[in-house]
């Protein structure tokens, strides 16, 4: 059975802190892992990772994939209140042609 | 343009009503999806259309009926829903389906549905 598990489930930090979010997966025929940020409604795409050890970076956000240990991390440095959101990771599954989502991490950044 | 547009944004309907949710994208994507998301849960797949053909129906009750009139449009017809169907309904599209090659999905803003 395919599994995508995120940790922690929720996190409260102060502005300026650095956070690390984890996404572990066990899926057949793994090809890629995607990170999304969901504020009020639409999940917005952050990164797609396909290769181990290659960091993807966008501003204060960065992400890396470890295909040997089957996980990915999303780092956010110098957090701001606007980073408060649910962060979802998703793995495309061939069986079902779908994007299968993890449990999500709810991040709250306090001023 | 990486926009997926959903209408309406909010919908309140009675259990005997018939309504439709609409989704539109103009990115030339050939795969479109309906997801259902309950509060504090991740999105769950309902339907996948690939090249305007229904590819996957994840055992969704028949009171939900999808339709893909053309490659840019996706509808979800609702009839005789139950209060437990209240949720955020998200439409997404991707360049192609994931069994063909790696691709990301773009999501619409969703329709917040309340069944009374």
């Amino acid at each position: 059975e395919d599994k995508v598990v995120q940790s922690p489930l929720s996190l409260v930090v102060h502005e300026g802190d650095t956070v690390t979010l984890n996404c572990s997966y066990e899926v057949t025929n793994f090809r890629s892992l995607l990170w999304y940020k969901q504020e009020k409604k639409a999940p917005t795409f952050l990164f797609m990772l396909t290769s181990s050890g290659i960091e993807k970076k966008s501003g204060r956000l960065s992400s890396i994939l470890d295909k040997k240990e089957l996980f990915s991390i999303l780092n956010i440095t110098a957090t701001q209140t606007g980073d408060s959101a649910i962060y979802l990771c998703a793995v495309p599954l061939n069986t079902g042609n779908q994007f299968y989502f993890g449990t999500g991490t709810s991040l709250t950044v306090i001023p | 343009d990486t926009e997926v547009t959903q209408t309406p944004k909010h919908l309140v309907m009675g259990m005997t009503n018939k309504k439709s949710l609409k989704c539109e994208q103009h990115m030339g994507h050939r795969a479109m999806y309906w997801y259902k998301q309950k509060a504090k849960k991740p999105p769950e797949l309902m339907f996948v259309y690939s090249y305007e053909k229904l590819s996957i129906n994840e055992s969704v009750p028949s009171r939900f009926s999808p339709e893909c009139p053309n490659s840019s449009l996706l509808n979800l017809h609702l009839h005789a829903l139950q209060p437990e169907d209240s949720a955020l309904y998200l439409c997404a599209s991707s360049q192609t389906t994931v069994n063909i090659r790696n691709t990301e999905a773009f999501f619409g803003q969703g329709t917040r549905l309340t069944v009374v």
Side-chain angles (χ1 to χ4, degrees):
Chain A
E1 186 185 337
D2 299 310
K3 280 187 204 174
V4 180
V5 177
Q6 292 184 244
S7 62
L9 285 179
S10 66
L11 193 54
V12 181
V13 300
H14 288 95
E15 267 191 321
D17 287 350
T18 293
V19 297
T20 299
L21 310 182
N22 187 290
C23 175
S24 300
Y25 62 89
E26 287 178 42
V27 301
T28 52
N29 298 317
F30 175 84
R31 294 172 68 176
S32 63
L33 184 146
L34 296 90
W35 282 98
Y36 286 86
K37 176 183 181 183
Q38 186 174 27
E39 295 177 80
K40 300 246 166 87
K41 285 196 173 178
T44 51
F45 172 73
L46 295 174
F47 300 112
M48 179 166 68
L49 303 158
T50 56
S51 302
S52 254
I54 298 175
E55 186 183 55
K56 293 267 180 110
K57 200 168 166 63
S58 176
R60 296 176 294 103
L61 276 66
S62 63
S63 184
I64 198 158
L65 177 67
D66 186 326
K67 287 164 82 169
K68 185 179 173 191
E69 300 297 329
L70 307 183
F71 74 93
S72 172
I73 59 170
L74 175 69
N75 277 325
I76 309 175
T77 59
T79 50
Q80 302 170 358
T81 54
D83 295 325
S84 296
I86 295 172
Y87 290 84
L88 296 159
C89 68
V91 177
L93 299 182
N94 283 351
T95 53
N97 266 335
Q98 64 167 299
F99 294 87
Y100 182 73
F101 284 87
T103 42
T105 293
S106 175
L107 173 66
T108 303
V109 181
I110 304 171
Chain B
D1 180 11
T2 56
E3 194 169 305
V4 177
T5 305
Q6 286 187 245
T7 55
K9 290 187 170 49
H10 301 273
L11 179 62
V12 179
M13 62 185 288
M15 288 189 282
T16 57
N17 290 161
K18 280 186 186 179
K19 297 283 184 185
S20 296
L21 309 185
K22 296 186 184 302
C23 175
E24 192 168 359
Q25 57 88 12
H26 295 288
M27 295 178 275
H29 288 176
R30 303 312 299 271
M32 294 186 78
Y33 310 79
W34 281 114
Y35 279 84
K36 175 182 176 180
Q37 187 176 24
K38 300 283 268 184
K40 301 191 188 217
K41 296 284 187 185
E44 291 182 347
L45 183 72
M46 298 175 74
F47 303 104
V48 179
Y49 273 86
S50 175
Y51 293 83
E52 294 114 73
K53 287 195 167 70
L54 184 62
S55 165
I56 296 293
N57 172 352
E58 288 287 309
S59 301
V60 177
S62 59
R63 56 187 184 267
F64 295 91
S65 173
E67 179 197 16
C68 189
N70 61 55
S71 60
S72 300
L73 294 174
L74 186 66
N75 298 321
L76 186 63
H77 302 298
L78 315 172
H79 178 230
L81 295 194
Q82 303 296 311
E84 60 263 28
D85 296 321
S86 299
L88 179 67
Y89 288 84
L90 292 163
C91 172
S93 71
S94 60
Q95 195 170 28
T96 183
T97 46
V98 297
N99 64 339
I100 297 176
R101 65 179 138 96
N102 287 328
T103 182
E104 65 268 43
F106 294 92
F107 284 82
Q109 288 295 313
T111 295
R112 180 79 62 189
L113 174 67
T114 304
V115 182
V116 296

